[in-house]
Amino acid sequence: MQKARIYVANWKMNMHLDSGLQFANDCKALMNDNENTEKQGSPFSQNGAKKHIILCPTFPAIYPIAQLLQNVPISIGAQNCSEHEIGAYTGEVSAQSLSEIGCSYCIIGHSERRKYFHETNEVIARKVVKLFASTINPIICIGETAQDHKDNKTLEVLEHQLNPIIKAINEAEQFPETVIFAYEPVWAIGTGKTPNNETLHATFNWLAAHLTRNIKNIKVIYLLYGGSVDEHTALEMVKVQNIDGFLIGGASLDFQKFKNIVSLA
Ligand code: PGA
């Protein structure tokens, strides 16, 4: 199976409803143009490989954007969900509720959630299981801090973050056919700094081997890179073996920049 290349727009707590709808409308127009130009070779299918866009708005914008994009091959994701199924958890949103409003993906364990909301690897593992049960594909974020990076502990940290998540995936009663991991070095998020291709090559090779060896039930694993992705960095990083796409923060707030990344990289 040839993998699609994945582009996730993580809008974080940015984009109000009107700008989110405008962005989604622009994506829709791009998809329509793409259909018309498919035969001449289009930015959305290079050398037969499809490109898959996943927009991740704030919770209130999910439903209207999902409605707007009905019948358009663009997916909608959330940026978080509850580790609980249902009940008295004021302010939380369950995986089931997300599924009902048109979400098919959900970012989990983003470093901002880990840092500001104290999410642990165990909490993230429970969220993965809840998402699986609601047929939502998690986009599981992992990554080392600047200090870990300086201490040369990247792989050690990644392995530690992954342990409970892999265990939960292997023990899940329900699971999808594919699972997505996003490697986001914390020091690269929003800083303009990125690892060089040599470092990325080593990290992604390790990730691919580690996940394939240890995840028993899901055979297709996608690996994304996130952290200061723009049209220039993406064009370089796309050369790295085992990078299947990008998780894009800042550059996903501007349609033209996002379009350039999707078209070029
Ligand atoms: P950035 O954010 O592209 O602005 O660095 C990426 C992310 O936090 O997912």
Side-chain angles (χ1 to χ4, degrees):
M1 180 188 117
Q2 188 171 22
K3 284 178 173 174
R5 193 168 290 160
I6 297 180
Y7 302 83
V8 182
N10 176 15
W11 290 345
K12 310 191 180 183
M13 206 176 73
N14 299 300
M15 292 270 223
H16 294 302
L17 185 56
D18 53 352
S19 37
L21 283 168
Q22 180 60 49
F23 193 109
N25 241 327
D26 289 341
C27 281
K28 186 175 170 178
L30 200 61
M31 283 305 193
N32 289 339
D33 286 353
N34 177 62
E35 240 167 57
N36 299 335
T37 56
E38 187 94 48
K39 288 192 188 72
Q40 295 139 36
S42 76
F44 286 94
S45 56
Q46 272 166 1
N47 308 325
K50 293 279 178 207
K51 299 190 170 191
H52 182 188
I53 293 176
I54 304 171
L55 300 181
C56 300
T58 55
F59 285 133
I62 291 174
Y63 183 70
I65 290 180
Q67 288 288 301
L68 180 82
L69 294 177
Q70 258 182 7
N71 307 318
V72 180
I74 293 175
S75 302
I76 310 297
Q79 301 171 14
N80 181 36
C81 76
S82 172
E83 65 180 290
H84 303 288
E85 194 174 319
I86 193 164
Y89 301 101
T90 302
E92 288 288 274
V93 178
S94 72
Q96 181 61 36
S97 297
L98 292 174
S99 167
E100 285 166 2
I101 58 169
C103 254
S104 38
Y105 292 86
C106 183
I107 298 171
I108 288 295
H110 190 281
S111 66
E112 288 150 16
R113 303 273 340 153
R114 293 173 185 263
K115 182 176 172 192
Y116 302 127
F117 305 96
H118 314 294
E119 280 188 15
T120 63
N121 299 315
E122 287 69 25
V123 167
I124 295 159
R126 287 197 285 278
K127 292 185 180 194
V128 169
V129 176
K130 291 293 176 294
L131 290 167
F132 281 179
S134 294
T135 61
I136 294 182
N137 267 289
I139 299 166
I140 305 161
C141 300
I142 49 170
E144 82 286 1
T145 62
Q147 190 60 47
D148 300 330
H149 178 66
K150 220 166 118 205
D151 296 345
N152 248 324
K153 284 191 176 157
T154 300
L155 300 187
E156 207 180 302
V157 169
L158 297 184
E159 185 168 0
H160 175 75
Q161 290 177 334
L162 287 168
N163 278 341
I165 296 168
I166 292 174
K167 185 169 183 284
I169 292 176
N170 284 334
E171 289 171 0
E173 282 172 19
Q174 253 178 284
F175 47 87
E177 283 176 10
T178 64
V179 63
I180 305 174
F181 289 87
Y183 168 58
E184 297 203 299
V186 180
W187 53 272
I189 296 176
T191 59
K193 293 183 201 155
T194 53
N196 63 31
N197 273 11
E198 203 184 317
T199 312
L200 284 174
H201 187 83
T203 310
F204 276 84
N205 269 354
W206 180 85
L207 275 172
H210 183 75
L211 293 168
T212 317
R213 194 171 53 242
N214 290 293
I215 295 180
K216 308 286 180 216
N217 43 3
I218 303 176
K219 292 293 164 235
V220 184
I221 297 165
Y222 282 85
L223 298 179
L224 311 185
Y225 169 81
S228 296
V229 172
D230 61 23
E231 59 208 279
H232 309 291
T233 55
L235 205 52
E236 259 315 289
M237 291 182 197
V238 88
K239 298 175 191 156
V240 176
Q241 203 189 358
N242 292 315
I243 292 189
D244 301 310
F246 300 101
L247 177 49
I248 309 154
S252 76
L253 299 177
D254 176 321
F255 179 70
Q256 197 54 48
K257 285 187 186 162
F258 183 69
K259 180 185 163 189
N260 286 346
I261 297 171
V262 177
S263 315
L264 298 173

